[in-house]
mmCIF file of all heavy atoms in Angstrom:
data_model
loop_
_atom_site.group_PDB
_atom_site.id
_atom_site.type_symbol
_atom_site.label_atom_id
_atom_site.label_comp_id
_atom_site.label_asym_id
_atom_site.label_seq_id
_atom_site.Cartn_x
_atom_site.Cartn_y
_atom_site.Cartn_z
ATOM 1 N N LEU I 1 0.880 -1.188 0.031
ATOM 2 C CA LEU I 1 0.002 0.026 -0.016
ATOM 3 C C LEU I 1 0.885 1.262 -0.030
ATOM 4 O O LEU I 1 2.012 1.246 0.475
ATOM 5 C CB LEU I 1 -0.936 0.003 1.228
ATOM 6 C CG LEU I 1 -2.059 -0.916 1.313
ATOM 7 C CD1 LEU I 1 -1.551 -2.266 1.835
ATOM 8 C CD2 LEU I 1 -3.244 -0.357 2.113
ATOM 9 N N THR I 2 0.341 2.312 -0.505
ATOM 10 C CA THR I 2 1.089 3.617 -0.471
ATOM 11 C C THR I 2 0.167 4.648 0.156
ATOM 12 O O THR I 2 -1.052 4.460 0.129
ATOM 13 C CB THR I 2 1.446 3.988 -1.950
ATOM 14 O OG1 THR I 2 0.300 4.204 -2.747
ATOM 15 C CG2 THR I 2 2.393 3.103 -2.590
ATOM 16 N N VAL I 3 0.870 5.713 0.582
ATOM 17 C CA VAL I 3 0.132 6.717 1.248
ATOM 18 C C VAL I 3 -0.398 7.696 0.189
ATOM 19 O O VAL I 3 0.293 8.362 -0.534
ATOM 20 C CB VAL I 3 1.032 7.476 2.246
ATOM 21 C CG1 VAL I 3 0.290 8.698 2.820
ATOM 22 C CG2 VAL I 3 1.453 6.632 3.292
ATOM 23 N N LYS I 4 -1.786 7.750 0.042
ATOM 24 C CA LYS I 4 -2.381 8.511 -0.999
ATOM 25 C C LYS I 4 -2.397 9.979 -0.650
ATOM 26 O O LYS I 4 -2.018 10.918 -1.372
ATOM 27 C CB LYS I 4 -3.808 8.038 -1.256
ATOM 28 C CG LYS I 4 -4.571 8.799 -2.378
ATOM 29 C CD LYS I 4 -5.925 8.223 -2.525
ATOM 30 C CE LYS I 4 -6.821 8.907 -3.552
ATOM 31 N NZ LYS I 4 -8.146 8.394 -3.715
ATOM 32 N N SER I 5 -2.770 10.162 0.630
ATOM 33 C CA SER I 5 -2.660 11.615 1.241
ATOM 34 C C SER I 5 -2.413 11.550 2.765
ATOM 35 O O SER I 5 -2.867 10.708 3.406
ATOM 36 C CB SER I 5 -3.891 12.426 0.949
ATOM 37 O OG SER I 5 -5.143 11.671 1.326
ATOM 38 N N SER I 6 -1.620 12.566 3.227
ATOM 39 C CA SER I 6 -1.262 12.488 4.656
ATOM 40 C C SER I 6 -1.667 13.778 5.285
ATOM 41 O O SER I 6 -1.377 14.860 4.709
ATOM 42 C CB SER I 6 0.228 12.155 4.754
ATOM 43 O OG SER I 6 0.573 12.003 6.117
ATOM 44 N N PHE I 7 -2.229 13.729 6.538
ATOM 45 C CA PHE I 7 -2.578 14.915 7.151
ATOM 46 C C PHE I 7 -1.908 14.889 8.572
ATOM 47 O O PHE I 7 -1.061 14.062 8.731
ATOM 48 C CB PHE I 7 -4.123 14.888 7.349
ATOM 49 C CG PHE I 7 -4.966 14.912 6.042
ATOM 50 C CD1 PHE I 7 -5.254 13.627 5.520
ATOM 51 C CD2 PHE I 7 -5.148 16.011 5.348
ATOM 52 C CE1 PHE I 7 -5.965 13.533 4.294
ATOM 53 C CE2 PHE I 7 -5.796 15.879 4.132
ATOM 54 C CZ PHE I 7 -6.166 14.777 3.574
ATOM 55 N N GLU I 8 -2.285 15.757 9.428
ATOM 56 C CA GLU I 8 -1.502 15.957 10.694
ATOM 57 C C GLU I 8 -1.468 14.588 11.467
ATOM 58 O O GLU I 8 -0.307 14.157 11.899
ATOM 59 C CB GLU I 8 -2.061 16.991 11.503
ATOM 60 C CG GLU I 8 -1.239 17.337 12.709
ATOM 61 C CD GLU I 8 -1.758 18.550 13.574
ATOM 62 O OE1 GLU I 8 -2.812 19.076 13.205
ATOM 63 O OE2 GLU I 8 -1.074 18.883 14.571
ATOM 64 N N ASN I 9 -2.573 13.930 11.689
ATOM 65 C CA ASN I 9 -2.513 12.774 12.544
ATOM 66 C C ASN I 9 -3.239 11.598 11.954
ATOM 67 O O ASN I 9 -3.606 10.589 12.630
ATOM 68 C CB ASN I 9 -3.130 13.040 13.989
ATOM 69 C CG ASN I 9 -2.211 14.055 14.806
ATOM 70 O OD1 ASN I 9 -1.092 13.554 15.066
ATOM 71 N ND2 ASN I 9 -2.665 15.093 15.267
ATOM 72 N N PHE I 10 -3.568 11.599 10.569
ATOM 73 C CA PHE I 10 -4.024 10.415 10.025
ATOM 74 C C PHE I 10 -3.622 10.511 8.474
ATOM 75 O O PHE I 10 -3.341 11.618 7.960
ATOM 76 C CB PHE I 10 -5.520 10.339 10.128
ATOM 77 C CG PHE I 10 -6.370 11.268 9.304
ATOM 78 C CD1 PHE I 10 -6.977 10.873 8.080
ATOM 79 C CD2 PHE I 10 -6.587 12.517 9.771
ATOM 80 C CE1 PHE I 10 -7.584 11.763 7.324
ATOM 81 C CE2 PHE I 10 -7.322 13.474 9.011
ATOM 82 C CZ PHE I 10 -7.825 12.999 7.853
ATOM 83 N N SER I 11 -3.724 9.256 7.776
ATOM 84 C CA SER I 11 -3.417 9.274 6.344
ATOM 85 C C SER I 11 -4.403 8.340 5.663
ATOM 86 O O SER I 11 -4.913 7.454 6.273
ATOM 87 C CB SER I 11 -1.963 8.760 6.201
ATOM 88 O OG SER I 11 -0.985 9.634 6.816
ATOM 89 N N GLU I 12 -4.599 8.568 4.385
ATOM 90 C CA GLU I 12 -5.359 7.670 3.504
ATOM 91 C C GLU I 12 -4.463 6.844 2.608
ATOM 92 O O GLU I 12 -3.394 7.345 2.092
ATOM 93 C CB GLU I 12 -6.322 8.460 2.667
ATOM 94 C CG GLU I 12 -7.234 7.579 1.839
ATOM 95 C CD GLU I 12 -8.150 8.372 0.978
ATOM 96 O OE1 GLU I 12 -8.336 9.552 1.050
ATOM 97 O OE2 GLU I 12 -8.799 7.682 0.070
ATOM 98 N N LEU I 13 -4.734 5.541 2.543
ATOM 99 C CA LEU I 13 -3.828 4.621 1.843
ATOM 100 C C LEU I 13 -4.583 4.159 0.563
ATOM 101 O O LEU I 13 -5.794 4.318 0.429
ATOM 102 C CB LEU I 13 -3.485 3.432 2.670
ATOM 103 C CG LEU I 13 -2.949 3.722 4.039
ATOM 104 C CD1 LEU I 13 -2.749 2.390 4.777
ATOM 105 C CD2 LEU I 13 -1.710 4.573 4.021
ATOM 106 N N GLU I 14 -3.847 3.628 -0.418
ATOM 107 C CA GLU I 14 -4.315 3.014 -1.507
ATOM 108 C C GLU I 14 -3.418 1.758 -1.834
ATOM 109 O O GLU I 14 -2.219 1.726 -1.584
ATOM 110 C CB GLU I 14 -4.398 3.874 -2.736
ATOM 111 C CG GLU I 14 -3.056 4.478 -3.203
ATOM 112 C CD GLU I 14 -3.255 5.375 -4.339
ATOM 113 O OE1 GLU I 14 -4.459 5.539 -4.820
ATOM 114 O OE2 GLU I 14 -2.287 6.053 -4.759
ATOM 115 N N THR I 15 -4.057 0.721 -2.379
ATOM 116 C CA THR I 15 -3.385 -0.552 -2.629
ATOM 117 C C THR I 15 -2.630 -0.537 -4.018
ATOM 118 O O THR I 15 -3.115 0.201 -4.855
ATOM 119 C CB THR I 15 -4.291 -1.764 -2.705
ATOM 120 O OG1 THR I 15 -5.308 -1.520 -3.669
ATOM 121 C CG2 THR I 15 -4.898 -1.854 -1.305
ATOM 122 N N LEU I 16 -1.600 -1.120 -4.135
ATOM 123 C CA LEU I 16 -0.813 -1.236 -5.411
ATOM 124 C C LEU I 16 -1.659 -2.059 -6.306
ATOM 125 O O LEU I 16 -1.848 -1.706 -7.453
ATOM 126 C CB LEU I 16 0.550 -1.913 -5.205
ATOM 127 C CG LEU I 16 1.309 -2.184 -6.469
ATOM 128 C CD1 LEU I 16 1.668 -0.938 -7.308
ATOM 129 C CD2 LEU I 16 2.600 -3.065 -6.105
ATOM 130 N N ASN I 17 -2.156 -3.106 -5.805
ATOM 131 C CA ASN I 17 -3.064 -4.094 -6.699
ATOM 132 C C ASN I 17 -4.539 -3.662 -6.397
ATOM 133 O O ASN I 17 -5.040 -3.872 -5.420
ATOM 134 C CB ASN I 17 -2.837 -5.478 -6.170
ATOM 135 C CG ASN I 17 -3.565 -6.473 -7.103
ATOM 136 O OD1 ASN I 17 -4.382 -6.080 -7.833
ATOM 137 N ND2 ASN I 17 -3.212 -7.656 -6.963
ATOM 138 N N PRO I 18 -5.105 -3.095 -7.434
ATOM 139 C CA PRO I 18 -6.450 -2.655 -7.361
ATOM 140 C C PRO I 18 -7.590 -3.738 -7.084
ATOM 141 O O PRO I 18 -8.692 -3.539 -6.641
ATOM 142 C CB PRO I 18 -6.796 -1.934 -8.574
ATOM 143 C CG PRO I 18 -5.804 -2.488 -9.688
ATOM 144 C CD PRO I 18 -4.615 -2.868 -8.842
ATOM 145 N N GLU I 19 -7.127 -4.966 -7.316
ATOM 146 C CA GLU I 19 -8.061 -6.101 -7.115
ATOM 147 C C GLU I 19 -8.220 -6.449 -5.601
ATOM 148 O O GLU I 19 -9.147 -7.245 -5.255
ATOM 149 C CB GLU I 19 -7.612 -7.325 -7.828
ATOM 150 C CG GLU I 19 -7.569 -7.060 -9.374
ATOM 151 C CD GLU I 19 -7.145 -8.331 -10.132
ATOM 152 O OE1 GLU I 19 -6.982 -9.396 -9.543
ATOM 153 O OE2 GLU I 19 -7.039 -8.304 -11.347
ATOM 154 N N ILE I 20 -7.419 -5.954 -4.787
ATOM 155 C CA ILE I 20 -7.534 -6.192 -3.314
ATOM 156 C C ILE I 20 -8.595 -5.316 -2.671
ATOM 157 O O ILE I 20 -8.618 -4.143 -2.842
ATOM 158 C CB ILE I 20 -6.179 -5.954 -2.583
ATOM 159 C CG1 ILE I 20 -5.063 -6.878 -3.157
ATOM 160 C CG2 ILE I 20 -6.298 -6.168 -1.094
ATOM 161 C CD1 ILE I 20 -3.721 -6.544 -2.578
ATOM 162 N N SER I 21 -9.552 -5.993 -2.041
ATOM 163 C CA SER I 21 -10.681 -5.395 -1.418
ATOM 164 C C SER I 21 -10.294 -4.550 -0.111
ATOM 165 O O SER I 21 -9.518 -5.298 0.692
ATOM 166 C CB SER I 21 -11.837 -6.407 -1.235
ATOM 167 O OG SER I 21 -12.841 -5.723 -0.463
ATOM 168 N N GLY I 22 -10.745 -3.445 0.103
ATOM 169 C CA GLY I 22 -10.435 -2.756 1.356
ATOM 170 C C GLY I 22 -10.786 -3.478 2.668
ATOM 171 O O GLY I 22 -10.167 -3.450 3.593
ATOM 172 N N ASN I 23 -12.042 -4.078 2.584
ATOM 173 C CA ASN I 23 -12.454 -4.650 3.879
ATOM 174 C C ASN I 23 -11.621 -5.850 4.205
ATOM 175 O O ASN I 23 -11.685 -6.216 5.423
ATOM 176 C CB ASN I 23 -13.927 -4.994 3.747
ATOM 177 C CG ASN I 23 -14.207 -5.981 2.558
ATOM 178 O OD1 ASN I 23 -13.254 -6.430 1.959
ATOM 179 N ND2 ASN I 23 -15.492 -6.208 2.267
ATOM 180 N N VAL I 24 -10.910 -6.426 3.371
ATOM 181 C CA VAL I 24 -10.004 -7.576 3.640
ATOM 182 C C VAL I 24 -8.773 -7.084 4.438
ATOM 183 O O VAL I 24 -8.265 -7.875 5.327
ATOM 184 C CB VAL I 24 -9.390 -8.210 2.357
ATOM 185 C CG1 VAL I 24 -8.449 -9.248 2.710
ATOM 186 C CG2 VAL I 24 -10.622 -8.879 1.604
ATOM 187 N N LEU I 25 -8.389 -5.868 4.292
ATOM 188 C CA LEU I 25 -7.328 -5.243 4.970
ATOM 189 C C LEU I 25 -7.641 -4.627 6.398
ATOM 190 O O LEU I 25 -6.789 -4.437 7.113
ATOM 191 C CB LEU I 25 -6.583 -4.202 4.095
ATOM 192 C CG LEU I 25 -6.097 -4.698 2.781
ATOM 193 C CD1 LEU I 25 -5.622 -3.429 1.973
ATOM 194 C CD2 LEU I 25 -4.928 -5.666 2.971
ATOM 195 N N GLU I 26 -9.007 -4.464 6.595
ATOM 196 C CA GLU I 26 -9.218 -3.887 7.926
ATOM 197 C C GLU I 26 -8.726 -4.651 9.083
ATOM 198 O O GLU I 26 -8.818 -5.892 9.226
ATOM 199 C CB GLU I 26 -10.810 -3.746 7.973
ATOM 200 C CG GLU I 26 -11.256 -3.367 9.360
ATOM 201 C CD GLU I 26 -12.346 -2.265 9.428
ATOM 202 O OE1 GLU I 26 -13.191 -2.268 8.476
ATOM 203 O OE2 GLU I 26 -12.399 -1.554 10.395
ATOM 204 N N GLY I 27 -8.153 -3.900 10.029
ATOM 205 C CA GLY I 27 -7.554 -4.499 11.251
ATOM 206 C C GLY I 27 -6.218 -5.057 11.149
ATOM 207 O O GLY I 27 -5.590 -5.368 12.141
ATOM 208 N N LYS I 28 -5.731 -5.132 9.913
ATOM 209 C CA LYS I 28 -4.391 -5.687 9.704
ATOM 210 C C LYS I 28 -3.298 -4.531 9.926
ATOM 211 O O LYS I 28 -3.567 -3.340 9.818
ATOM 212 C CB LYS I 28 -4.153 -6.226 8.410
ATOM 213 C CG LYS I 28 -5.010 -7.571 8.077
ATOM 214 C CD LYS I 28 -4.577 -8.161 6.745
ATOM 215 C CE LYS I 28 -5.353 -9.442 6.551
ATOM 216 N NZ LYS I 28 -5.088 -10.084 5.293
ATOM 217 N N VAL I 29 -2.079 -4.938 10.429
ATOM 218 C CA VAL I 29 -1.077 -4.005 10.656
ATOM 219 C C VAL I 29 -0.267 -3.704 9.496
ATOM 220 O O VAL I 29 0.142 -4.655 8.708
ATOM 221 C CB VAL I 29 -0.136 -4.512 11.757
ATOM 222 C CG1 VAL I 29 0.958 -3.625 12.028
ATOM 223 C CG2 VAL I 29 -0.907 -4.756 13.040
ATOM 224 N N ILE I 30 -0.124 -2.527 9.135
ATOM 225 C CA ILE I 30 0.836 -1.961 8.077
ATOM 226 C C ILE I 30 2.158 -1.503 8.616
ATOM 227 O O ILE I 30 2.053 -0.733 9.561
ATOM 228 C CB ILE I 30 0.155 -0.942 7.145
ATOM 229 C CG1 ILE I 30 1.106 -0.588 5.982
ATOM 230 C CG2 ILE I 30 -0.387 0.170 7.890
ATOM 231 C CD1 ILE I 30 0.368 0.275 4.924
ATOM 232 N N ARG I 31 3.197 -1.943 7.963
ATOM 233 C CA ARG I 31 4.521 -1.399 8.482
ATOM 234 C C ARG I 31 5.112 -0.608 7.249
ATOM 235 O O ARG I 31 5.256 -1.188 6.187
ATOM 236 C CB ARG I 31 5.458 -2.524 8.766
ATOM 237 C CG ARG I 31 6.909 -2.093 9.026
ATOM 238 C CD ARG I 31 7.755 -3.286 9.597
ATOM 239 N NE ARG I 31 7.359 -3.754 10.879
ATOM 240 C CZ ARG I 31 7.962 -4.613 11.604
ATOM 241 N NH1 ARG I 31 9.164 -5.157 11.127
ATOM 242 N NH2 ARG I 31 7.732 -4.989 12.835
ATOM 243 N N PHE I 32 5.366 0.652 7.597
ATOM 244 C CA PHE I 32 5.883 1.523 6.533
ATOM 245 C C PHE I 32 7.489 1.347 6.501
ATOM 246 O O PHE I 32 8.158 1.327 7.529
ATOM 247 C CB PHE I 32 5.517 2.905 6.865
ATOM 248 C CG PHE I 32 4.105 3.241 6.717
ATOM 249 C CD1 PHE I 32 3.304 3.119 7.839
ATOM 250 C CD2 PHE I 32 3.484 3.338 5.454
ATOM 251 C CE1 PHE I 32 1.821 3.319 7.770
ATOM 252 C CE2 PHE I 32 2.111 3.526 5.458
ATOM 253 C CZ PHE I 32 1.334 3.509 6.495
ATOM 254 N N LEU I 33 7.970 1.253 5.284
ATOM 255 C CA LEU I 33 9.345 1.092 5.016
ATOM 256 C C LEU I 33 9.949 2.322 4.349
ATOM 257 O O LEU I 33 9.309 3.290 4.027
ATOM 258 C CB LEU I 33 9.565 -0.093 4.048
ATOM 259 C CG LEU I 33 8.944 -1.418 4.516
ATOM 260 C CD1 LEU I 33 9.100 -2.464 3.490
ATOM 261 C CD2 LEU I 33 9.415 -1.871 5.898
ATOM 262 N N ASN I 34 11.366 2.268 4.248
ATOM 263 C CA ASN I 34 12.115 3.356 3.630
ATOM 264 C C ASN I 34 11.695 3.537 2.163
ATOM 265 O O ASN I 34 11.514 2.594 1.479
ATOM 266 C CB ASN I 34 13.594 3.040 3.669
ATOM 267 C CG ASN I 34 14.114 3.041 5.151
ATOM 268 O OD1 ASN I 34 13.343 3.569 6.027
ATOM 269 N ND2 ASN I 34 15.130 2.487 5.390
#
């Protein structure tokens, strides 16, 4: 996933693969890399 837009204390993400459903990712941990 990439950060689509970032604000002061929250951000909106988007998946690289558009076929992945958002509700499948709910509750999962994302780790941001360099």
Side-chain angles (χ1 to χ4, degrees):
L1 290 85
T2 57
V3 178
K4 183 179 180 181
S5 53
S6 188
F7 304 92
E8 186 176 5
N9 286 307
F10 76 95
S11 299
E12 183 181 350
L13 311 175
E14 60 183 354
T15 58
L16 173 64
N17 186 348
E19 296 181 4
I20 298 176
S21 175
N23 56 6
V24 173
L25 298 172
E26 168 133 33
K28 291 188 177 181
V29 174
I30 180 168
R31 174 174 291 188
F32 294 96
L33 305 177
N34 296 341

